[in-house]
């Protein structure tokens, strides 16, 4: 029985040596197997040095129990105590890997593999591993031999004899030897097939890059050819049998488990393509069909087994295609999209624990390095390494990456790979998730040398290194562009002008020389301003490159920076508020309208960063807008100055609306793009319509005040019509209006009419005066008698006209009529006047319906511009705005008298009301709504991109691509956008044919 004092002392000693369960450890130390050495201090010290002393002790006792006799146990114990190299290796493995402890318990003599400590044993290569596997005669014995070799790799790893890069290289060499052994077994099992063909195994991924994990799929591609004049079809069938058998030998589970899956899905056409192809078939595929990511994958292609000569021919044939990949359209965008897709596919619950695929993970480093290799490896063969760390070192040596950035990434990558190795080594399972259990984290931390507070230290170091990767992985591509135009310290390598141009072209810049001049102007010098620009530009360049016109984005940024460079808040805003910088980059590179509005008053850039997430972009209410404009009118000296102030507010608010629309459509790094397209359209329509109404109200007040003081001799109201009345104005829309007045009591009617006309003329003149602010065009052509009729009528005149002369189309136009400015009471009386016309009692008669249909058909044939593609005309084309609106308006004219929901000026509201009332099926209402929203979005996009209104898609490829980006299409997919528009419009036209034309 153990004395209490001694027990307490033992517990303390075990805790001091890192045991977490001293009771269990004490029992194990008292076991008969350890009796000869239980009091030897060397043993306890050695166990305490392992990653998990409890696990190591348990594994040692199991290994001793598995020995075939007392003599074997004694030999093991003597060697453990006397031979420090073996002790460190064996206990190090037992304390880091429960799976290898299981292997040793099952194969009790394999610990002898750790005794050797010769120089050649320190860094074995493929030849040594082939010798270690040479005795394997079947899949089971191959697994045992593989684990024995793995045991020695793990021992060197956990003892620090090899670093993480050497360990990864050894694992790749062991995989190479294993693939060769498996292929030899497959050949031996089918000698006739082996004689029919030449088969080469090309390693891809981490195996090809000589940087394999402990447990990973081994990616391969197979190349086959005929042997000795055999038939090609038969040869390929034989090669496929051999390849399939080789894969099964490695992948299938036996009594000794499996080795690892062999994955051939990187082959042409993936799992849908043939497992084995000839070299000419591979070449034809890559020349015609391969995607960008497939060339990226070929960076790591390396022949490892089978016919090595054939494998080298394969690599040589495809190498020129790999180094031309950067010349492909949208190359950088494709690579970055692939990376984003990987992140998006990570389950939400795993995102924060993903060591490989998550933000700041291993894949970020690998993608960044591969991107740079593909861009610059065309002209610099020193960059053509499949190994990530070797390639990163070469990039730094050539000045393609800053040395400090490369050193930080190298350090972070090594730490993250070491974590990955230790996580996988424990159970020999394929995982890239950091465990949540403290015991697991403690073991991993201790294995990496973190001994004071392993869990806290591990988490801190992991987050620090992941933060470095997150911060640097994209800047890695852009920062050297600034070094190319900056003064560098002596001896620091820089990106050559040619390499800088090459990189800019890969990013999508059409004029790289001009882009370099802009960078030099922005970032050269030693001023604080230049220093801040050098911090901002690497990130901004990435955002510009994500647009359809990076050149415009950079040029516009230079213009804004030149205009605001001396204001203290500008660069501080961009530096300190991430939302502001990203929002600005999106706005400046999305088209002409928003930058043009910003250049007229660059201080509006402050709107982009007002609070978290750019809340300064929230649209302002009509009440707030009117209040600000009317206050400016009161302060102004004369109508001209007042209207200038109102137009200034309008310009600023148009910029706010356009910027918010662009940011919501593109999305940001912290906020995805708005998925509800209808909401985007409604926000723009409401914001622009409210702004137009407030501007008209302010202009009316200014004109009246200057000409007549506080009171005009007649009441005066402005009625919004068309898209203005429907709260559906776009960026380039005119303001369709009617003007109505009503002489005040005792006022002379002629004098009142003259005054009303003078007001209208002066408003139109002031709102169109040439200035830095965009004009607001007032269109009154929807008035009675059109252009031939008077601009302004009295309410009585309107009543008389509508009673005697009103045409059907005028009743239809009045469906959109709503008072927007001026005398509210007069506006209400006008609405009372027209309601019986636009919502006629008992609806429309058959003749009236036929007349509306005839008018619509005539408009379709006569008003469509010559040469325009009807199927892509958003206003007059089939399934366009006109189709949807006339269909909805016909329903309003027919049923508005008894369906109150239809009495709205807004198209989408009326369509929803018609559906709710059962006048149109839900599916058909959805089709019309989708088409109307899409057509409106296209018109808004065209105005944003071109800076002028248009009803069709642009013909210029860059402008078309910019419209596509606004609509959510990735680069290179404008064809999909046009197809989607045609499809949506075609479906809508089918509904219109049925509902409007009665077909």
């Amino acid at each position: 029985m153990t004395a209490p004092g001694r027990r307490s002392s033992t517990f303390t000693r075990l805790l001091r040596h890192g045991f977490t369960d001293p009771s269990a450890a004490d029992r194990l130390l008292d076991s008969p197997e350890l009796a000869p050495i239980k009091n030897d201090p060397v043993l306890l010290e050695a166990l305490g040095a392992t990653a998990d002393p409890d696990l190591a002790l348990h594994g040692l006792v199991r290994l001793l129990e598995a020995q075939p006799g007392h003599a074997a146990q004694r030999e093991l114990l003597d060697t453990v105590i006397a031979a420090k190299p073996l002790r460190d290796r064996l206990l190090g493995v037992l304390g880091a890997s429960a799976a290898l402890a299981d292997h040793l318990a099952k194969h009790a003599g394999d610990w002898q593999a750790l005794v050797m400590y010769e120089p050649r044993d320190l860094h074995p290569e493929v030849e040594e591993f082939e010798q270690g596997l040479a005795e394997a005669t079947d899949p089971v014995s191959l697994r045992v031999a593989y684990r024995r070799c793995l045991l020695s790799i793990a021992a060197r790893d956990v003892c620090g004899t090899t670093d993480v890069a050497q360990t990864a290289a050894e694992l790749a060499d062991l995989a190479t030897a294993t693939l060769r052994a498996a292929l030899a077994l497959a050949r031996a099992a089918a000698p006739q097939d082996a004689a029919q063909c030449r088969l080469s195994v090309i390693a891809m991924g981490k195996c090809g890059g000589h940087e394999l994990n402990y447990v990973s799929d081994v990616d391969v591609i197979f190349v086959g050819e005929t042997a000795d004049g055999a038939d090609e079809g038969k040869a390929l069938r034989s090669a496929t049998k051999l390849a399939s058998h080789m894969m099964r030998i490695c992948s299938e589970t036996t009594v000794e488990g499996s080795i690892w899956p062999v994955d051939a899905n990187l082959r042409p056409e993936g799992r849908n393509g043939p497992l084995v192809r000839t070299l000419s078939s591979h070449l034809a595929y890559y020349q015609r069909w391969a995607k960008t990511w497939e060339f990226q994958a070929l960076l790591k292609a390396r022949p490892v087994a089978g016919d090595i000569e054939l494998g080298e021919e394969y690599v040589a044939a495809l190498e020129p295609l790999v180094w031309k990949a950067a010349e492909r359209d949208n190359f950088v965008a494709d690579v970055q999209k692939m990376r984003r897709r990987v992140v998006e596919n990570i389950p939400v619950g795993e995102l924060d624990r993903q060591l490989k695929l998550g933000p700041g993970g291993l894949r970020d480093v690998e993608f960044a390095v591969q991107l740079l290799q593909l861009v610059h490896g065309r002209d610099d063969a020193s960059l053509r390494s499949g190994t990530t760390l070797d390639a990163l070192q070469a990039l730094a040596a050539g000045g393609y990456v800053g040395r400090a950035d490369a050193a930080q990434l190298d350090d972070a990558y090594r730490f993250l790979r070491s974590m990955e190795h230790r996580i996988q080594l424990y159970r020999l399972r394929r995982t890239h998730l950091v465990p949540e259990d403290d015991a697991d984290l403690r073991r991993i931390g201790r294995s990496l040398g973190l001994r004071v507070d392993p869990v806290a230290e591990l988490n801190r170091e992991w987050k620090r290194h992941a933060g470095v990767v997150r911060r640097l992985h994209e800047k890695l591509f852009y920062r050297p562009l600034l070094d190319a135009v900056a003064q560098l310290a002596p001896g620091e390598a820089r990106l050559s002008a040619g390499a800088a141009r090459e990189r800019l072209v890969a990013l999508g810049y059409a004029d790289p020389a001009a882009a370099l001049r802009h960078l030099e102007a922005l970032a050269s010098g030693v001023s604080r301003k230049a220093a801040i620009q050098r911090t901002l530009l690497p990130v901004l360049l990435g955002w510009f490159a994500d647009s359809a016109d990076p050149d415009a984005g950079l040029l516009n940024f230079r213009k804004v920076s030149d205009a605001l460079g001396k204001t203290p808040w500008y660069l501080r805003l961009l530096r300190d508020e991430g939302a502001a910088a990203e929002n600005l980059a999106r706005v400046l590179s999305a088209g002409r309208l928003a930058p043009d509005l910003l250049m007229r008053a660059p201080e509006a850039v402050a709107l982009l960063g007002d609070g978290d997430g750019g809340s300064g972009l929230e649209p302002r209410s009509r009440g707030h807008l009117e209040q600000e404009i009317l206050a400016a009118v009161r302060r102004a000296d004369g109508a001209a100055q007042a209207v200038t102030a109102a137009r200034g507010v309008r310009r600023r608010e148009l910029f706010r609306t356009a910027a918010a629309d662009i940011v919501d459509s593109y999305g940001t790094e912290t906020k995805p793009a708005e998925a509800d397209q209808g909401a985007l359209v409604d926000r723009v329509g409401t914001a622009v319509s409210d702004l137009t109404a407030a501007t008209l109200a302010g202009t009316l007040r200014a004109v009246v005040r200057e000409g007549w003081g506080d009171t005009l001799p007649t009441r005066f109201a402005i009625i919004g019509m068309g898209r203005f009345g429907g709260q559906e104005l776009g960026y380039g829309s005119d303001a369709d209006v009617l003007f109505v007045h009503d002489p005040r009591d005792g006022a002379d009617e002629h004098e009142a009419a003259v005054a009303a006309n003078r007001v209208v003329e002066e408003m139109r003149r002031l709102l169109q005066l040439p200035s830095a602010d965009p004009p607001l065009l007032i269109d009154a052509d929807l008035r009675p008698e059109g252009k031939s009729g008077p601009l302004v009528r009295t309410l009585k005149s309107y009543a008389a006209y509508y009673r005697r002369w009103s045409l059907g189309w005028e009743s239809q136009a009045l469906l959109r009529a709503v008072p927007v400015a001026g005398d509210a009471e007069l506006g209400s009386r006008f609405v009372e006047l027209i309601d019986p016309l636009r919502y006629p009692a008992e609806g429309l008669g058959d003749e009236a319906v036929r007349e509306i249909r005839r008018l619509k058909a005539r408009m379709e044939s006569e008003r469509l511009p010559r040469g325009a593609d009807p199927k892509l005309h958003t206003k007059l084309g089939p399934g366009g705005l006109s189709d949807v609106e006339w269909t909805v308006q016909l329903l309003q004219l027919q049923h508005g008298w008894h369906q109150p929901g239809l009495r709205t000026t807004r198209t989408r509201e009326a369509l929803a009301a018609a559906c709710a009332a059962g006048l149109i099926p839900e599916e058909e209402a959805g089709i019309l709504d989708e088409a109307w929203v899409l057509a409106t979005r296209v018109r808004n996009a065209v105005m944003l991109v071109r800076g002028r209104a248009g009803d069709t898609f642009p013909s210029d490829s860059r402008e078309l691509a910019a419209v596509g980006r606004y609509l959510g299409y990735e680069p290179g997919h404008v064809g999909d956008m046009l197809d989607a528009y045609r499809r949506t419009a075609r479906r809508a036209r089918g509904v219109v044919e049925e509902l409007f034309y009665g077909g």
Side-chain angles (χ1 to χ4, degrees):
M1 179 176 175
T2 306
R6 179 181 175 279
R7 183 176 180 83
S8 175
S9 172
T10 301
F11 268 46
T12 303
R13 191 157 52 100
L14 290 171
L15 288 170
R16 191 170 64 248
H17 281 90
F19 288 88
T20 58
D21 188 351
S23 297
D26 192 34
R27 287 195 299 271
L28 288 172
L29 287 169
D30 280 338
S31 64
E33 290 80 12
L34 285 178
I37 62 169
K38 61 179 292 186
N39 294 317
D40 194 317
V42 170
L43 175 63
L44 209 54
E45 289 292 337
L47 287 168
T50 65
D52 187 339
D54 301 85
L55 185 66
L57 177 58
H58 184 255
L60 179 60
V61 172
R62 289 180 64 207
L63 178 57
L64 285 166
E65 291 172 343
Q67 296 305 306
H70 180 73
Q73 286 184 346
R74 189 72 221 183
E75 180 188 3
L76 173 58
L77 288 173
D78 288 346
T79 311
V80 165
I81 295 301
K84 185 180 188 314
L86 171 80
R87 182 169 63 247
D88 291 344
R89 286 178 166 200
L90 177 60
L91 295 182
V93 168
L94 292 174
S97 178
L100 289 177
D102 290 344
H103 173 83
L104 285 170
K106 193 172 184 180
H107 302 279
D110 277 6
W111 67 270
Q112 300 278 1
L114 303 179
V115 174
M116 296 297 294
Y117 206 71
E118 300 299 326
R120 70 186 183 89
D121 182 50
L122 294 180
H123 301 295
E125 295 182 350
V126 177
E127 182 181 350
E128 284 74 34
F129 289 125
E130 284 187 293
Q131 292 172 5
L133 302 177
E135 296 179 5
T137 56
D138 56 48
V140 173
S141 59
L142 181 61
R143 280 152 177 70
V144 175
Y146 174 83
R147 290 289 171 91
R148 190 181 304 121
C149 292
L150 190 65
L151 192 64
S152 66
I153 294 175
R156 286 187 293 275
D157 179 16
V158 298
C159 292
T161 307
T162 55
D163 67 12
V164 66
Q166 291 169 321
T167 300
E170 288 184 14
L171 289 166
D173 284 341
L174 175 57
T176 296
T178 305
L179 289 171
R180 291 178 181 178
L183 183 57
L185 291 176
R187 284 176 171 275
Q192 289 183 327
D193 287 327
Q196 289 270 355
C197 64
R198 299 170 64 196
L199 176 64
S200 182
V201 183
I202 312 296
M204 303 288 285
K206 281 190 161 52
C207 184
H210 222 223
E211 51 187 13
L212 196 61
N213 300 326
Y214 275 103
V215 186
S216 175
D217 291 358
V218 171
D219 296 310
V220 298
I221 284 177
F222 296 105
V223 188
E225 294 288 350
T226 61
D228 300 327
D231 175 74
E232 183 177 290
K234 290 181 180 178
L236 286 178
R237 284 192 292 274
S238 295
T240 300
K241 291 178 186 177
L242 291 175
S244 299
H245 192 188
M246 186 204 82
M247 293 172 69
R248 290 196 303 275
I249 288 172
C250 296
S251 305
E252 286 181 348
T253 301
T254 69
V255 291
E256 290 292 342
S258 67
I259 302 177
W260 19 245
V262 177
D263 188 341
N265 288 336
L266 291 178
R267 67 187 183 270
E269 300 180 77
R271 60 184 68 210
N272 296 320
L275 184 62
V276 184
R277 288 176 183 258
T278 63
L279 177 54
S280 61
S281 176
H282 276 285
L283 194 57
Y285 173 84
Y286 284 105
Q287 286 172 333
R288 295 189 62 189
W289 308 112
K291 297 180 173 64
T292 298
W293 70 264
E294 293 178 279
F295 293 107
Q296 185 179 351
L298 285 172
L299 279 170
K300 296 185 179 293
R302 179 172 65 94
V304 292
D307 193 318
I308 299 299
E309 183 181 347
L310 176 58
E312 288 172 346
E313 290 174 15
Y314 169 88
V315 171
L318 293 182
E319 191 174 44
L321 300 180
V322 172
W323 302 115
K324 288 181 180 178
E327 299 172 7
R328 295 163 66 94
D329 290 340
N330 305 308
F331 162 71
V332 172
D334 283 348
V335 175
Q336 292 174 333
K337 181 174 69 176
M338 185 72 178
R339 174 67 190 116
R340 285 195 297 270
R341 188 179 301 145
V342 168
V343 174
E344 288 164 2
N345 288 333
I346 301 172
V348 175
E350 297 181 1
L351 189 62
D352 292 337
R353 297 192 294 126
Q354 251 292 349
L355 199 62
K356 176 182 178 182
L357 303 178
L362 293 162
R363 188 57 59 86
D364 275 347
V365 181
E366 293 158 0
F367 264 59
V369 169
Q370 291 163 19
L371 187 62
L372 290 167
Q373 284 181 280
L374 288 168
V375 171
H376 299 295
R378 289 177 288 178
D379 301 317
D380 189 342
S382 71
L383 305 181
R384 299 178 183 181
S385 170
T387 307
T388 300
L389 291 177
D390 290 349
L392 182 58
Q393 184 178 2
L395 287 164
Y400 303 100
V401 172
R403 290 186 188 276
D405 289 348
Q408 284 187 286
L409 274 182
D410 183 284
D411 189 38
Y413 189 75
R414 287 175 183 274
F415 181 85
L416 297 174
R417 282 301 300 273
S418 296
M419 272 189 75
E420 183 182 47
H421 279 184
R422 296 299 192 272
I423 291 168
Q424 293 184 349
L425 182 58
Y426 178 53
R427 292 288 186 193
L428 287 181
R429 290 177 182 163
R430 182 176 180 267
T431 179
H432 308 286
L433 290 178
V434 177
E436 296 177 293
D437 184 71
D438 277 357
D440 291 324
L441 295 172
R442 181 177 183 273
R443 183 186 61 256
I444 296 165
R446 283 175 59 89
S447 76
L448 296 174
L450 307 173
R451 297 299 175 99
V452 177
D453 186 352
V455 175
E457 290 179 79
L458 177 66
N459 279 318
R460 186 166 56 249
E461 286 298 292
W462 170 35
K463 298 303 181 186
R464 180 176 70 82
H465 285 295
V468 167
V469 174
R470 263 198 312 273
R471 189 177 73 251
L472 289 181
H473 90 277
E474 285 190 349
K475 293 182 183 179
L476 199 71
F477 196 79
Y478 306 110
R479 186 174 290 172
L481 291 169
L482 307 185
D483 292 340
V485 297
Q487 296 295 319
L488 300 183
E492 178 74 18
R494 75 161 72 227
L495 200 64
S496 69
R501 283 194 294 272
E502 198 172 50
R503 194 173 297 191
L504 286 164
V505 168
L507 284 168
Y509 285 84
D511 189 349
L516 282 174
R517 288 196 299 273
H518 299 324
L519 291 176
E520 184 173 12
L522 288 163
S524 60
V526 295
S527 67
R528 183 171 175 275
K529 181 175 74 171
I532 295 176
Q533 288 281 23
R534 285 194 291 273
T535 302
L536 290 169
L537 277 166
V539 185
L540 289 168
L541 286 170
W543 287 324
F544 293 148
D546 190 38
S547 74
D549 196 348
D551 299 81
L554 182 55
L555 172 61
N556 289 331
F557 179 68
R558 180 181 175 184
K559 289 179 179 178
V560 173
S561 295
D562 287 346
L564 295 176
K566 293 182 180 179
T567 56
W569 56 266
Y570 167 61
L571 289 175
R572 187 168 63 243
L573 171 80
L574 299 184
R575 181 193 64 194
D576 298 340
E577 292 194 35
E582 185 174 5
N583 291 347
L584 180 62
R586 298 297 184 202
V587 166
L588 294 180
S589 55
R592 295 178 184 173
L593 178 65
D596 183 51
L597 291 169
L598 181 60
M599 297 308 171
R600 298 176 190 217
E603 65 277 2
V605 76
L607 298 175
L608 299 171
D610 189 8
D612 293 337
S615 60
L617 295 180
E618 289 296 318
R620 301 176 69 199
S621 70
R622 179 167 166 181
H624 280 104
L625 292 170
E626 278 198 22
Q627 187 177 13
E628 180 183 1
I629 289 175
L630 292 175
V633 168
R634 285 193 299 271
R635 292 191 301 270
D637 184 14
Q641 189 181 95
V643 175
T644 297
R647 289 175 65 180
V649 173
R650 178 172 176 265
R651 183 247 315 128
R652 184 197 69 209
E653 295 304 318
L654 277 175
F655 172 74
R656 189 197 304 267
T657 303
D661 189 18
I662 290 165
V663 170
D664 287 342
S665 297
Y666 272 66
T668 66
E669 291 187 349
T670 57
K671 179 184 174 185
E674 172 63 68
D676 186 347
Q677 303 290 299
L680 289 170
V681 165
D682 291 344
R683 280 204 287 271
V684 171
T686 300
V688 178
S689 300
D690 283 348
L691 178 56
T692 301
T695 305
L696 290 177
T699 303
L700 175 60
R701 177 73 60 85
V703 170
V704 170
R705 191 181 69 163
E706 181 168 271
W708 294 271
D710 291 331
T711 307
L712 195 65
T714 183
R715 295 181 181 86
F716 188 92
I718 302 175
I719 310 299
M721 299 288 286
R723 297 196 180 285
F724 184 20
Q727 289 282 89
E728 296 162 357
L729 283 180
Y731 300 110
S733 303
D734 296 347
D736 289 318
V737 298
L738 299 178
F739 296 107
V740 58
H741 78 103
D742 186 30
R744 296 185 184 278
D745 293 341
D748 180 78
E749 290 194 6
H750 176 72
E751 181 184 334
V754 170
N757 276 280
R758 279 179 54 197
V759 167
V760 172
E761 290 167 2
E762 187 66 2
M763 284 182 67
R764 297 178 82 177
R765 184 184 73 83
L766 291 173
L767 287 170
Q768 296 179 48
L769 280 177
S771 78
D773 300 311
L776 174 55
L777 302 178
I778 296 176
D779 187 340
D781 289 353
L782 291 175
R783 64 188 184 269
E785 302 179 77
K787 294 181 180 179
S788 304
L791 266 177
V792 192
R793 286 178 182 262
T794 64
L795 190 63
K796 288 181 180 179
S797 175
Y798 275 108
Y801 175 84
Y802 288 137
R803 186 170 58 251
R804 298 184 62 191
W805 310 110
S806 177
L807 300 175
W809 71 265
E810 291 177 297
S811 296
Q812 186 178 347
L814 288 171
L815 286 167
R816 304 286 207 117
V818 66
V820 293
D823 190 294
E825 191 267 338
L826 177 59
S828 296
R829 288 162 59 200
F830 182 84
V831 170
E832 290 174 10
L833 168 67
I834 64 171
D835 271 352
L837 279 82
R838 56 183 179 176
Y839 309 125
E842 305 302 325
L844 294 177
D846 292 343
E847 181 54 36
V849 171
R850 283 194 293 272
E851 178 58 28
I852 289 174
R853 289 171 176 165
R854 280 196 295 268
L855 182 62
K856 173 75 167 68
R858 187 166 70 246
M859 186 181 72
E860 287 179 12
S861 62
E862 294 177 358
R863 294 181 58 187
L864 196 69
R866 182 178 299 175
D869 181 352
K871 294 179 181 178
L872 293 176
H873 198 281
T874 60
K875 183 176 181 180
L876 301 175
L881 295 170
S882 176
D883 266 2
V884 177
E885 289 165 2
W886 281 61
T887 301
V888 171
Q889 288 160 14
L890 181 58
L891 290 171
Q892 289 180 284
L893 288 165
Q894 289 175 310
H895 303 283
W897 65 279
H898 68 95
Q899 290 291 340
L902 290 174
R903 297 171 203 166
T904 174
T905 62
R906 298 188 175 207
T907 302
R908 297 189 71 211
E909 279 188 9
L911 182 57
C915 180
L919 301 174
I920 175 173
E922 185 176 349
E923 181 182 357
E924 295 184 351
I927 290 171
L928 293 181
D929 185 71
E930 181 186 9
W932 189 89
V933 166
L934 178 57
T936 305
R937 287 272 289 159
V938 171
R939 295 179 94 211
N940 285 345
V942 170
M943 184 66 188
L944 285 169
V945 169
R946 303 181 69 193
R948 61 181 188 275
D951 294 318
T952 59
F953 288 88
S955 56
D956 178 83
S957 59
R958 281 221 162 188
E959 291 178 346
L960 188 61
V963 169
R965 289 292 288 116
Y966 172 84
L967 294 177
Y969 289 88
E970 296 288 349
H973 289 270
V974 293
D976 294 339
M977 172 183 68
L978 297 176
D979 288 345
Y981 181 84
R982 292 187 186 98
R983 185 167 57 250
T984 303
R986 185 169 61 248
R987 293 173 67 213
R989 181 63 180 197
V991 175
V992 171
E993 293 281 357
E994 179 183 344
L995 292 179
F996 184 83
Y997 289 108

